[in-house]
Amino acid sequence: MSIQCPLCKSDQVITLDQGKKIGAVVGTVGGAASGIAGAMTGAASGAEFGVTVGLVAGPAGSALGGLAGAIFGGLIGAATGGITGAKLGEVVDQRVLDNYNCQSCGISFSRGSSDPAI
Ligand SMILES: [Zn+2]
């Protein structure tokens, strides 16, 4: 099913996915921050990774292990946060934002909108 422009009835309509893009960025940054924070406090899997590396490498390597854990935790947090943020943004796109843009007349509108924002 193709989306039709409510104003000019053109089917040259694209999705903007702004919420999805913003959500992915916010989720990635927030996820990385919480992942690192989790690794620092020992709550995240990144910390466990750091402790394991530290134990294997010995007491001298625990600082290095902690750093690796923080990086590892940050990466995991960024990946999961980015996915979560993108999903949240997708919901915002579908329900809140004018996610559709007509390539013929240039208006943006949301699905089911009977009152296009010109
Ligand atoms: Zn149009």
Side-chain angles (χ1 to χ4, degrees):
M1 172 189 154
S2 66
I3 305 292
Q4 219 176 38
C5 174
L7 188 68
C8 69
K9 305 300 176 193
S10 166
D11 59 1
Q12 299 294 307
V13 171
I14 60 163
T15 55
L16 297 173
D17 292 335
Q18 283 170 330
K20 194 174 177 179
K21 289 166 190 164
I22 294 167
V25 172
V26 171
T28 300
V29 173
S34 66
I36 291 169
M40 293 298 185
T41 57
S45 57
E48 290 165 29
F49 177 76
V51 169
T52 305
V53 172
L55 287 175
V56 170
S62 57
L64 185 67
L67 181 66
I71 295 169
F72 191 65
L75 288 176
I76 289 178
T80 54
I83 293 166
T84 306
K87 287 204 185 303
L88 284 173
E90 211 172 322
V91 173
V92 172
D93 277 334
Q94 287 167 357
R95 300 188 183 174
V96 181
L97 300 177
D98 292 335
N99 194 35
Y100 296 97
N101 182 256
C102 175
Q103 296 290 280
S104 294
C105 69
I107 68 157
S108 294
F109 57 96
S110 57
R111 186 159 51 188
S113 172
S114 57
D115 184 25
I118 301 168

